[in-house]
């Protein structure tokens, strides 16, 4: 797949690197310096390049939106026409000091994003884990018991694309249903962040759902 990265920071930089290493064509875009984008492309050691958001969006099978909530409008404007595109978003609707959600309960960041780009197909994914865990999950991808990763969206084809990208990182994709379920997954991330950043065991944290059959 050709994957355009809109926001090449902690999330976008790592996920783009992993997807390039997994064999996808990746375009890193949107950072404060071009040198950083070039370095990411070089160090990804796969088929990765640096570009503008509009270059990242052109011909992309999927776009990863990975910017602070306050930068969403700007990066989308620079990306240009995203009609028909699959946008996988890990961006959470956080306030300026990242202490709380600015949208919750009755809507979600993912739904607000879908309203901004009504002709794109938004899938919410990757936002429920800290970026620090991605390389560890990728390194352990051949293990049988993979960590879960929930995702949700309203378009079947785009959800299939997102599930493939989730699997390529090393997670077990868990389809949580329509995009409105992001109302629950986004606040869940604040719990994960609490455990990752306020605990003593470090931020390399993922989660796994287990099902148990009925007792015999
Ligand atoms: N970090 C996590 O563990 C985590 C977990 C779950 C969800 N999320 C969500 O994922 C999204 C991305 O988070 P992140 O931690 O990856 O953020 P980040 O590291 O700050 O990355 C944002 C990217 O946007 C770029 N950027 C910001 N302002 C810009 C501007 N004015 N012009 C050009 N580029 C600009 C940054 O450039 P520079 O690289 O030059 O700074 C960076 O590449 C957020 O919505 C966050 O809430 C993050």
């Amino acid at each position: 797949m050709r994957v355009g990265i809109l926001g090449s920071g902690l999330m976008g930089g790592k996920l783009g690197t992993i997807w390039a290493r997994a064999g996808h064509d990746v375009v890193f875009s949107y950072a404060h310096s071009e040198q950083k984008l070039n370095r990411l492309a070089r160090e990804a050691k796969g088929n990765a390049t640096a570009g503008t958001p509009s270059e990242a969006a052109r011909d992309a099978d999927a776009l990863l939106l990975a910017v602070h909530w306050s930068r969403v409008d700007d990066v989308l404007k620079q990306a240009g026409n995203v009609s028909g595109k699959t946008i996988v978003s890990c961006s959470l609707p956080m306030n300026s000091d990242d202490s709380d959600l600015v949208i919750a309960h009755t809507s979600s960041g993912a739904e607000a994003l879908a309203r901004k780009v009504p002709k794109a197909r938004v899938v919410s994914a990757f936002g429920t884990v800290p970026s620090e865990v991605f390389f560890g999950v990728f390194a352990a991808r051949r293990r049988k018991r993979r960590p879960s990763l929930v995702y949700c969206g309203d378009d079947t084809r785009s959800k299939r694309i997102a599930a493939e990208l989730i699997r390529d990182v090393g997670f077990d994709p868990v389809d949580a249903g329509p995009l409105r379920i992001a109302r629950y997954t986004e606040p869940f991330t604040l719990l994960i962040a609490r455990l990752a950043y306020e605990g003593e065991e470090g931020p390399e944290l993922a989660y796994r759902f287990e099902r148990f059959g009925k007792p015999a």
Side-chain angles (χ1 to χ4, degrees):
M1 268 194 260
R2 185 176 157 91
V3 187
I5 306 292
L6 301 176
S8 298
L10 291 170
M11 298 291 277
K14 287 173 189 155
L15 286 170
T17 298
I18 287 171
W19 288 326
R21 289 181 187 166
H24 297 292
D25 290 351
V26 170
V27 183
F28 289 103
S29 80
Y30 204 70
H32 289 98
S33 81
E34 236 182 282
Q35 287 97 301
K36 178 180 180 183
L37 298 174
N38 286 326
R39 180 176 53 74
L40 278 169
R42 213 172 38 245
E43 291 177 357
K45 294 196 179 80
N47 205 352
T49 53
T52 61
S54 103
E55 287 165 345
R58 200 174 307 143
D59 303 325
D61 300 298
L63 287 166
L64 175 74
L65 181 70
V67 295
H68 190 272
W69 192 244
S70 58
R71 306 306 311 167
V72 169
D73 289 338
D74 185 49
V75 77
L76 286 176
K77 191 164 153 232
Q78 291 192 38
N81 186 0
V82 290
S83 299
K85 298 272 180 209
T86 292
I87 301 182
V88 177
S89 176
C90 66
S91 298
L92 296 169
M94 301 300 287
N95 60 8
S96 58
D97 67 4
D98 281 326
S99 58
D100 212 348
L101 294 164
V102 293
I103 301 174
H105 309 305
T106 54
S107 187
S108 60
E111 290 165 280
L113 171 65
R115 281 193 293 273
K116 285 179 195 288
V117 282
K119 291 188 175 146
R121 289 144 191 182
V122 174
V123 180
S124 173
F126 295 105
T128 51
V129 286
S131 71
E132 287 85 348
V133 86
F134 289 138
F135 285 127
V137 171
F138 186 59
R141 67 193 177 281
R142 308 218 189 282
R143 283 193 207 155
K144 212 166 153 221
R145 277 165 59 94
R146 290 175 154 216
S148 309
L149 193 94
V150 289
Y151 67 107
C152 58
D154 295 330
D155 180 72
T156 309
R157 194 177 149 270
S158 298
K159 285 177 80 170
R160 224 178 286 130
I161 290 173
E164 186 181 335
L165 292 171
I166 291 168
R167 235 176 259 116
D168 286 343
V169 179
F171 292 98
D172 182 16
V174 175
D175 184 350
L179 199 63
R180 65 179 165 75
I181 300 301
R183 294 173 195 187
Y184 314 133
T185 62
E186 290 173 2
F188 168 73
T189 304
L190 274 62
L191 165 68
I192 295 289
R194 166 95 202 164
L195 298 174
Y197 299 114
E198 311 291 329
E200 306 208 326
E201 292 178 72
E204 297 82 6
L205 177 74
Y207 54 88
R208 179 175 170 80
F209 298 115
E210 304 259 2
R211 289 190 188 275
F212 296 84
K214 290 197 184 99

